[in-house]
Amino acid sequence: MKPPQTQQEWEDYFKMYKETPQWKYQNREMTIQEFKFIFYMEWFHRMWGRTIGLVFFLPAAYFWRKGWVSKAMKPRLAAFGSLLVFQGLLGWFMVKSGLEEPGDDIPRVSQYRLASHLGSAFLLYVGLLWTGLLHVLPRQKFEMTSQMRQLSKYAHGTMALVFFTALSGAFVAGLDAGLVYNSFPKFGDRWIPEDLFNFDPKWKNMFENHTTVQFNHRILGTTTAVAILSLWVWSRRLRLTPRASLALSCMAGMSVVQISLGIGTLLLYVPTWLASTHQLGSLTLLSFAVWLATELKKLPK
């Protein structure tokens, strides 16, 4: 897929865009120059995804054919490849939802598909990072005491919390839920918003009610930050390896940065650059969590 090369081609693409719900309900004042900007944003995202596929599959196929992939690594490599293909298909499925007629006159991609797309991307990233760290970094020896074992379990739990908090952020983004209750720590003048369970059946509020989705993300974000900082305080009493101590300190510091970014994004009515930085912060925080978990992994006998 290459972008339009001539003015006439741009006009043709722009004409096709005018048939989409996004144009009909939201962007009727858009100029062709503004259309070029969103076109290139989407084009770059697709090309980047395809490049990732080539960078993964070509070396993987070559190494596999040469017999350089260990027996233990083959299932993992196959899983990563399958997840990468699934991620691409899921991206197409997500974009397709944005081309359907909206039920509330606001065209947007399905928050369910957006969260699935982000979640699968993060899962793939975690798997690749985990595998890479275990192979690249030499293991540092430490005594696996009962306290260290508990710390390791706690670290894995906080890693899961970071992941699910990021996933809840996808629902916030998909619903534009960051544009309601732009105050902190209260929701307007209340600690608990009145419209938390307005939808029936009640479970829909968790995924479709703007207020509930934002409320959940706030609670998860705060819980995650408290859990990470508590883990850091607890670890001060233990003898960690230098790298584990560094990973935990980085994670603790990043949790403070990340929650600050989240609050700032909310109070400033979700500027795109700050919201993107907040999303990048979630990936950075998850990276530190994965790093810590690998450092606390029990050494093989």
Side-chain angles (χ1 to χ4, degrees), residues 129-142 241-244 291-292 294-300:
L129 181 61
W130 180 283
T131 302
L133 288 174
L134 290 180
H135 279 76
V136 172
L137 295 180
R139 305 296 299 280
Q140 294 182 330
K141 293 183 179 181
F142 63 92
T241 63
R243 277 209 315 260
W291 180 21
L292 176 64
T294 59
E295 293 296 340
L296 296 178
K297 192 176 187 306
K298 185 178 180 180
L299 287 168

Side-chain angles (χ1 to χ4, degrees), residues 277-291:
T277 305
H278 184 50
Q279 186 179 48
L280 179 61
S282 68
L283 187 63
T284 305
L285 184 58
L286 184 60
S287 301
F288 287 138
V290 172
W291 180 21

Side-chain angles (χ1 to χ4, degrees), residues 143-185:
E143 185 180 357
M144 182 56 82
T145 62
S146 59
Q147 284 187 316
M148 287 295 292
R149 193 171 290 108
Q150 288 179 343
L151 184 74
S152 179
K153 290 179 180 178
Y154 199 132
H156 282 75
T158 55
M159 181 174 64
L161 263 178
V162 172
F163 176 82
F164 285 112
T165 301
L167 204 60
S168 74
F171 281 93
V172 174
L175 288 172
D176 289 328
L179 296 175
V180 298
Y181 293 109
N182 296 94
S183 57
F184 190 87

Side-chain angles (χ1 to χ4, degrees), residues 8-64:
Q8 184 57 51
E9 288 179 343
W10 277 113
E11 293 287 351
D12 292 341
Y13 271 82
F14 193 34
K15 185 178 180 180
M16 286 189 287
Y17 175 70
K18 289 180 179 180
E19 297 175 2
T20 66
Q22 193 176 63
W23 164 267
K24 295 176 183 176
Y25 297 100
Q26 196 171 26
N27 291 336
R28 295 188 69 87
E29 304 300 321
M30 177 178 282
T31 65
I32 194 167
Q33 292 302 320
E34 292 170 329
F35 168 71
K36 287 181 180 180
F37 175 77
I38 65 169
F39 179 94
Y40 275 118
M41 288 284 287
E42 178 65 22
W43 180 84
F44 177 79
H45 183 72
R46 293 188 186 191
M47 293 303 104
W48 185 256
R50 293 172 187 181
T51 301
I52 290 173
L54 289 174
V55 169
F56 176 85
F57 282 112
L58 291 181
Y62 180 76
F63 294 158
W64 194 302

